[in-house]
């Protein structure tokens, strides 16, 4: 369990993390989303005590990171896969981490096997490709068999097989009851992996809710109705407090009500329906709506 | 040998510096602090490696130098002019080792505070060599007094190099020289620790 309480980080007059309070719970994959520069990586660095918060606290199982004995056995984190001495082999790097935290040496071979790096483990870390560095970073995170795991953009540089493997890994770690906190800006990936979402923009919390709720709340999630009596039905739906659009002669798109409610209303009014279905927003659409106002480094439109 | 040590020290300083600056250059410091979040322990561990290694390096390189001199002295060329009593040489070697170990730990402290290799080398060179010489050359009373208590002259006093180089210039004993050296080392390590604790990694 990770608990943030009024967490703030300012660099001069720039506020990177602004009064962030949330809980990341065990047994779920919590996706951490936000535009570039929203403060995701800084938040993770604050949790690990690499940066000092300007105000507030970041606790793991109720204590700050630096108070945990043998922290790698409680928290495994991949922040920057290249953050190791380039002249050292992956194997030597992991052995050093293991020895410093009282982790059995055989774990090194085990995690290297898990991430599929057994053959490249004796190569200089600087000579590894980005994807292989990423695997080594994941191996380091898994080394201490920790109950809390944090990954910053874990699929960076991985091939499609690797991406699928990471997705599978996150799920199984959460299913084992661990706390899994993953940042990413690949929405399609998050939609497949995450149970719960934390969305931030400009350092502030925008949303902290289950994935299904984020998608259901999007204005693009709607009920599509096809009926020869579209005019009549749309009046009734509006009267029931729904937002109604008429994209076509016989078509209604209604938001703000459950599909069952619409079906019942039509039945009571004796209106024949030819189609009644839910159109779900993708996470990408829901995310874009949420963060539209807080994209810090948005690209300008071409030609402007 | 004592004078040579003052030049050799920069080779070891460059090595000692890498113990910390390479971590900042590669980003490895973040792995280090993730594995060992207690800052004092990180610095202490590094000092515990640096000090004995540099002590051994000092004694060994000094020993090699002494052996060469010994061999030269036993030839007819120098025979009889100079003597090299083994007991005194042994004490000198140990002192050279201690001096180099302390200078290296000082470098570690400065490196932890400064973080970049170029910056560390500059600061360490100024403290060990540049500043004391410049202060000495100002000729002002205060400048000379301060200069004589910097690691250069404190080291000379400690290693017993006062006779040939500074000719009675240093107004204190070898023991006080060691004390000044230790004070500089402690100050550098304290500065490194303060920065490591407060600044973001």
């Amino acid at each position: 369990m990770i608990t943030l309480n009024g967490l703030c980080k300012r660099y001069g007059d720039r506020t990177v993390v602004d009064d962030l309070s949330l809980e990341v719970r065990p047994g779920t994959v919590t996706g951490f989303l936000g535009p570039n520069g929203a403060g995701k990586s800084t938040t993770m660095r604050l949790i690990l005590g690499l940066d000092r918060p300007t105000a507030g606290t970041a606790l793991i199982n109720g204590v700050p990171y630096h108070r945990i004995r043998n922290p790698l056995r409680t928290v495994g984190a991949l922040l920057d896969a290249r953050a190791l001495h380039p002249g050292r082999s992956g194997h030597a790097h992991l052995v050093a981490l293991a020895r410093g935290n009282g982790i059995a040496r055989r774990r090194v071979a085990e995690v290297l096997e898990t991430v599929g790096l057994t053959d490249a483990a004796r190569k200089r870390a600087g000579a590894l490709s980005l994807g292989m560095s990423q695997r080594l970073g994941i191996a380091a995170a898994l080394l201490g068999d920790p109950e809390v795991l944090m990954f910053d953009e874990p699929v960076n540089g991985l091939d499609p097989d690797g991406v699928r493997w990471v997705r599978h890994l996150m799920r199984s770690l959460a299913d084992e009851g661990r706390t899994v906190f993953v940042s990413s800006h690949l929405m399609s990936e998050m939609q497949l992996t995450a149970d719960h979402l934390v969305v931030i923009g400009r350092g502030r919390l925008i949303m902290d809710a289950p994935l299904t709720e984020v998608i259901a709340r999007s204005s693009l999630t709607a009920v599509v109705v096809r009926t020869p009596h579209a005019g009549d039905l749309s009046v009734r739906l509006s009267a029931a407090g729904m937002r109604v659009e008429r994209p076509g002669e016989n078509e209604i798109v209604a938001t703000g009500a459950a599909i069952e409610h619409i079906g019942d209303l039509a039945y009571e009014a004796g209106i024949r329906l030819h189609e009644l279905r839910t159109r779900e927003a993708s996470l990408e659409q829901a995310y874009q709506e949420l963060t539209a106002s807080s994209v810090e480094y948005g690209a300008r439109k071409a030609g402007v | 040998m004592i004078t040579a040590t003052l030049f050799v020290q920069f080779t070891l300083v460059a090595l000692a510096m890498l113990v910390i600056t390479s971590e900042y250059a590669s980003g490895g410091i973040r792995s280090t602090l993730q594995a060992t979040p207690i800052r004092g322990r990180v610095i202490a561990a590094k000092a515990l490696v640096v000090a004995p290694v540099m002590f051994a390096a000092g004694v060994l390189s000094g020993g090699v130098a002494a052996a060469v001199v010994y061999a030269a002295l036993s030839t007819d060329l120098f025979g009889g002019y100079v003597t090299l009593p083994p007991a005194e040489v042994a004490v000198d070697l140990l002192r050279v080792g201690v001096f180099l170990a302390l200078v290296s730990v000082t470098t570690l402290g400065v490196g932890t505070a400064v973080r970049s290799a170029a910056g560390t080398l500059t600061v360490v060179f100024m403290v060990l060599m540049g500043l004391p010489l410049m202060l000495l050359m100002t000729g002002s009373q205060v400048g000379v007094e301060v200069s004589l208590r910097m690691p250069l002259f404190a080291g000379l006093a400690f290693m017993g190099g006062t006779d040939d180089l500074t000719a009675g210039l240093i107004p204190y004993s070898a023991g006080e020289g060691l004390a000044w050296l230790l004070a500089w080392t402690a100050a550098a390590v304290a500065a490194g620790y303060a920065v490591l604790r407060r600044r973001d990694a």
Side-chain angles (χ1 to χ4, degrees), chain B residues 47-165:
Chain B
L48 280 177
V49 172
V50 164
V53 167
M54 295 307 178
F55 173 79
V59 172
L60 273 178
S61 56
V64 170
V68 170
V69 174
Y70 231 88
L73 286 183
S74 57
T75 62
D76 293 340
L77 209 57
F78 299 101
Y81 289 107
V82 190
T83 54
L84 209 56
E88 277 177 37
V89 172
V91 171
D92 275 359
L93 285 180
L94 290 181
R95 288 181 180 220
V96 166
V98 168
F99 172 74
L100 291 176
L102 288 176
V103 164
S104 298
V105 175
T106 304
T107 305
L108 172 68
V110 172
T112 312
V114 176
R115 298 190 174 183
S116 83
T120 303
L121 214 49
T122 309
V123 171
V124 171
F125 180 80
M126 286 313 283
V127 170
L128 294 187
M129 197 66 105
L131 267 180
L133 291 182
M134 284 195 295
L135 283 171
L136 200 62
M137 279 187 280
T138 62
S140 81
Q141 183 76 38
V142 179
V144 172
E145 287 297 313
V146 171
S147 168
L148 290 179
R149 277 152 189 92
M150 294 190 72
L152 175 64
F153 293 111
L156 279 174
F158 170 59
M159 291 184 289
T162 41
D163 302 330
D164 45 329
L165 195 75

Side-chain angles (χ1 to χ4, degrees), chain A residues 208-227:
Chain A
D208 176 7
L211 174 75
T212 47
E213 200 182 312
V214 171
I215 287 179
R217 270 203 239 169
S218 164
S219 70
L220 289 161
T221 296
V223 177
V224 178
V225 189
R226 208 153 53 80
T227 165

